[in-house]
Amino acid sequence: MIKRLLLLDGVDVVCHFRDDGSLVEGYGLMAQADMVELAKFAHDYRRMIQGNADQLAMFTGMRGWTPPRAWIVRGLTVSTCCVANLVCIVQNAEASLNAILAELQEVARW
C-alpha cells in the first residue's frame, strides 16, 4: 500500500520499518541494502527527536511537544521525510513537502 507514495512528484524511495528499525518493505530507486540503512537511520533519528521533545516538555512545562508526529531533514537537493514508521526520500526541486507529509500521515494510519 505504501507504493502509492511513489506516485507523488519527487518521491524516489519509500520504506516502512518496524519499531526496532528493521525494514518491513521498501520501494523505489535505491538498493535493498541502502533501504535497510535508511530504515535504521529513520528509526534512530526518530528516537533522537523524541528525546529532544521530551526534554523540551520537561524543561518548559508546556504541553504539546510530544509526541512529535513527523520530521524532515532537508538537504541541498534531497530531503528525508518521516511520519510514524514510514520514511521517504524526495527530490526538493520536484516535491511539495506539504503534500508528501499529508499523504505520509494518511498512509501511516492504515
Side-chain angles (χ1 to χ4, degrees):
M1 219 36 163
I2 67 170
K3 281 185 184 179
R4 83 180 222 181
L5 293 167
L6 290 173
L7 298 175
L8 298 173
D9 290 339
V11 176
D12 288 343
V13 178
V14 61
C15 295
H16 178 222
F17 58 94
R18 291 189 176 88
D19 288 336
D20 65 356
S22 60
L23 181 68
V24 174
E25 59 182 330
Y27 305 99
L29 305 173
M30 186 180 276
Q32 183 74 17
D34 293 334
M35 288 183 195
V36 168
E37 292 302 315
L38 176 62
K40 288 179 188 175
F41 164 75
H43 170 264
D44 293 345
Y45 199 83
R46 186 178 69 169
R47 290 188 62 176
M48 184 180 69
I49 294 295
Q50 180 66 52
N52 289 344
D54 290 342
Q55 286 180 343
L56 283 170
M58 183 177 65
F59 292 136
T60 63
M62 295 171 50
R63 301 179 73 174
W65 292 104
T66 59
R69 289 185 269 170
W71 56 264
I72 298 172
V73 176
R74 187 168 173 90
L76 221 52
T77 58
V78 297
S79 296
T80 304
C81 304
C82 185
V83 172
N85 287 8
L86 296 174
V87 62
C88 65
I89 302 287
V90 299
Q91 296 293 326
N92 293 339
E94 302 170 21
S96 165
L97 293 179
N98 289 335
I100 290 170
L101 284 178
E103 194 66 26
L104 276 169
Q105 287 177 346
E106 177 68 26
V107 173
R109 290 187 198 126
W110 295 341

